């Protein structure tokens, strides 16, 4: 139909019951030709992805503006620049990543060759969420291409402008035999997941992560799960409150809080809360003016469903700053909640919006106990001038990543793995970690046919003399 993005479905009657059988088998056939394994093919596809980002920067920014009024700078940084960095990093390092890794040998294998070969998994499925709809499918795609796989990409249906752009434009840059885009929501994804893939890379919420993992289990398909959760942020008493507030407001309000690594809630003493509140109010006014609704630098909530969900969270505790909403625009003001009980909704579910609850705790040990009483988060943050205190929190908590004195920035380093633990995810990627995630590390031992006398010692019959060796 004109104006409708391609769906990736084939005629379900011709292909059997599942509409994606044809697509998956055509990618499998392409994979079996070995074409994606060559360095030339990988380089050409990475370069093509880089060209897509350059040529289509404006349409990407327009799609982000249309889906959630994502401010231009935020869109450019998160959806274009960070992806471009990954592309360039992979291009610069690909030849060394692809090399066989020769390993230490034991006495018996001294004359042989032992190495790890980084092999592509085969046909990979990448499923993305709506909050950074380009970034979170293209950064995994960089790793999948670099590692030599064929890929089906399933962007989120919720960020519909981004989905349309990816489905209509991206395939024209890539080798169509090896890379395809499938559109649609849970129904289509469920059907897609009935097919056998060699690897699945999923980003989304933990509930859907369980569904994806169960589907992967039916084929024993390995997978990465990049999930969400509540990222705690402990603020120590002797901090520079205005700096802390600036960084917290930036981290919480970037993309209107729809960021998986955003600080989800603050833990601090009652005295610190008193000092932090005016600093947070000041930062919000500095960044977004007296009425953040008028600011061009503050995004909107992606959907009515998400808007209703976040608005309901404003009933937890007491609104100390902000709290204004506008359903028509899906606007929720930067908001700070105080006196929130741990059992209230704002402290039970991931906020994923511009709302920051503060929970008071008497000291750092109570904060650590609070963090450890909950699911393991994607990130634990701590703001403290005292590095001993930072290390105390680092050593006594567990999370996918850790950030001291600044939110989000840890995920911009390609030298750090990005991923969760427990409820926040399984596996990691970025930079070389992406290449390794999308590669099978094949253990290879190429033995010589010589030294048979020595080898014959292991053959039956097992004489007493052999046992004594
Ligand atoms: P989601 O889990 O609802 O959707 C993700 C993808 O799964 C979409 O493509 C969607 O079409 C598909 N899907 C949804 N329901 C499905 C079902 N029942 N069966 C099969 N497929 C289904 O997630 P979302 O709302 O798009 O994204 C928000 C969540 O993602 C938050 O929890 C956030 O923390 C998390 N997230 C994590 C990271 C990370 O890197 N760890 C990054 C961004 C977002």
């Amino acid at each position: 139909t004109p104006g409708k993005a391609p769906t990736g479905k084939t005629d379900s009657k011709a292909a059997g019951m599942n509409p994606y059988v044809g697509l998956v088998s055509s990618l499998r056939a392409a994979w079996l030709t070995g074409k994606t394994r060559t360095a030339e093919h990988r380089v050409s596809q990475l370069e093509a992805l880089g060209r897509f980002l350059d040529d289509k920067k404006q349409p990407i920014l327009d799609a982000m503006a249309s889906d959630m009024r994502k401010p231009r700078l935020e869109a450019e940084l998160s959806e274009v620049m960070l992806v471009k960095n990954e592309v360039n990093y992979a291009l610069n390092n690909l030849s060394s990543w692809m090399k066989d890794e020769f390993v230490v040998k034991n006495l018996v294998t001294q004359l042989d060759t032992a190495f790890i070969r980084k092999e592509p998994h085969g046909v990979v499925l990448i499923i993305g969420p709506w909050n950074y709809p380009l970034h979170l499918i293209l950064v995994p795609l960089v790793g999948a291409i670099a590692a030599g796989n064929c890929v089906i990409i399933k962007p989120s249906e919720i960020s519909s402008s981004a989905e349309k752009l990816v489905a209509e434009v991206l395939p024209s840059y890539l080798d169509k035999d090896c890379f395809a885009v499938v559109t649609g929501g849970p129904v289509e994804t469920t059907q897609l997941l009935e097919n056998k893939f060699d690897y699945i890379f999923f980003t989304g919420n933990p509930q859907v992560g369980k569904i994806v993992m169960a589907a992967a289990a039916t084929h024993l398909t390995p997978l990465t799960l990049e999930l969400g959760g509540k990222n705690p942020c402990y603020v120590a008493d002797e901090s520079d409150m205005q700096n802390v507030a600036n960084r917290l407001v930036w981290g919480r309000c970037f993309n209107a809080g729809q960021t998986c690594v955003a600080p989800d809630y603050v833990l601090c003493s009652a005295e610190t809360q008193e000092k932090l509140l005016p600093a947070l109010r000041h930062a919000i006014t500095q960044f977004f003016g007296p009425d953040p609704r008028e600011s061009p630098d503050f995004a909107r909530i992606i959907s009515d469903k998400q808007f209703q969900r976040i608005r309901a969270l404003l009933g937890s505790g007491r609104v100390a700053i902000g709290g204004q909403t506008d359903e028509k625009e899906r606007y929720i003001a930067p908001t700070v909640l105080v006196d929130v009980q741990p059992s209230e909704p704002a402290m039970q579910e991931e906020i994923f919006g511009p709302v920051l609850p503060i929970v008071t705790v008497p000291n750092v040990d109570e904060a650590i106990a609070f963090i450890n009483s909950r699911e393991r988060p994607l990130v634990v943050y701590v703001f403290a001038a005292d590095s001993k205190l930072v290390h105390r929190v680092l050593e006594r908590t567990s999370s996918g990543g850790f950030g001291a004195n600044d939110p989000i920035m840890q995920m911009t380093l390609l030298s750090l793995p990005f991923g969760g633990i427990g409820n926040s995810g399984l596996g990691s990627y970025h930079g070389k970690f992406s290449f390794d995630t999308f590669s099978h590390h094949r253990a290879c031992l190429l033995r010589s046919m010589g030294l048979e006398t020595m080898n014959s010692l292991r053959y039956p019959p097992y004489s007493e003399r052999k046992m004594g060796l």
Side-chain angles (χ1 to χ4, degrees), residues 127-131 136 154-157 184-186 189-190 193 202-206 208 211-212 226-229 260 306 350 352 378 418 424 429:
I127 304 173
W130 50 260
N131 60 334
L136 292 168
K154 212 305 286 176
S156 171
E157 76 286 8
T189 314
T190 304
L193 284 165
F202 171 81
T203 306
N205 84 57
V208 181
I211 295 172
V212 173
E226 296 284 340
L227 309 176
C260 58
Q306 289 293 326
E350 179 182 17
F352 229 56
L378 195 53
F418 179 78
S424 58
Y429 71 130

Side-chain angles (χ1 to χ4, degrees), residues 24-286:
V24 176
S25 53
S26 76
L27 260 72
R28 186 163 300 286
W31 186 68
L32 289 172
T33 66
K35 123 192 220 194
T36 55
R37 287 176 178 255
T38 66
E40 295 71 32
H41 193 266
R42 302 183 200 200
V43 167
S44 76
Q45 298 306 298
L46 287 170
E47 285 175 348
L49 188 50
R51 274 199 302 283
F52 166 76
L53 292 167
D54 291 340
D55 297 352
K56 300 299 169 192
K57 183 164 127 185
Q58 195 52 48
I60 291 172
L61 302 184
D62 292 345
M64 296 305 116
S66 143
D67 283 339
M68 60 192 100
R69 243 197 67 178
K70 195 178 281 202
R72 188 192 158 91
L73 187 108
E74 293 183 8
E76 201 163 334
L77 272 175
S78 59
E79 309 280 4
V80 182
M81 273 176 59
L82 288 178
V83 186
K84 201 71 203 294
N85 285 351
E86 289 275 358
V87 171
N88 292 336
Y89 192 71
L91 281 168
N92 290 338
N93 292 287
L94 188 63
S95 59
S96 77
W97 293 346
M98 284 178 69
K99 283 202 177 97
D100 289 339
E101 206 178 298
F102 292 90
V103 297
V104 175
K105 292 173 285 185
N106 58 22
L107 191 65
V108 184
T109 53
Q110 275 311 308
L111 299 181
D112 305 326
T113 309
F115 59 91
I116 303 166
R117 162 95 21 123
K118 317 294 168 38
E119 286 200 338
H121 288 294
V123 181
V124 165
L125 172 63
I126 295 174
I127 304 173
W130 50 260
N131 60 334
Y132 293 93
L134 265 297
H135 179 116
L136 292 168
I137 51 170
L138 297 185
V139 173
L141 180 63
V142 170
I145 293 175
N149 297 280
C150 288
V151 188
I152 292 182
I153 302 158
K154 212 305 286 176
S156 171
E157 76 286 8
I158 311 284
S159 39
S160 53
S161 307
E163 180 197 41
K164 194 164 187 288
L165 181 72
V166 169
E168 287 182 353
V169 184
L170 183 65
S172 65
Y173 282 79
L174 299 173
D175 180 343
K176 288 194 188 61
D177 294 342
C178 308
F179 305 100
V181 177
V182 163
T183 57
V187 171
E188 288 78 5
T189 314
T190 304
Q191 290 175 325
L192 196 52
L193 284 165
E194 286 166 10
N195 294 276
K196 183 175 164 65
F197 290 92
D198 301 306
Y199 200 87
I200 297 174
F201 189 101
F202 171 81
T203 306
N205 84 57
Q207 283 318 314
V208 181
K210 289 176 191 173
I211 295 172
V212 173
M213 195 165 180
T218 61
H219 296 291
L220 288 179
T221 299
L223 81 172
T224 295
L225 296 174
E226 296 284 340
L227 309 176
K230 293 183 78 64
N231 304 317
C233 179
Y234 177 68
V235 180
D237 289 343
E238 277 82 38
S239 305
D240 175 335
M241 285 307 158
Q242 195 54 59
N243 277 358
V244 172
N246 292 346
R247 293 171 183 212
L248 271 177
V249 170
W250 174 72
R252 181 70 282 189
C253 292
F254 196 92
N255 201 25
Q258 301 163 110
T259 303
C260 58
V261 287
D264 186 275
Y265 64 96
V266 166
L267 292 168
C268 65
S269 68
E271 302 80 67
T272 294
Q273 176 177 297
E274 286 321 297
K275 291 186 224 150
L276 192 55
L277 278 175
L280 288 169
R281 190 173 287 114
H282 182 71
I284 291 168
T285 314
Q286 287 292 305

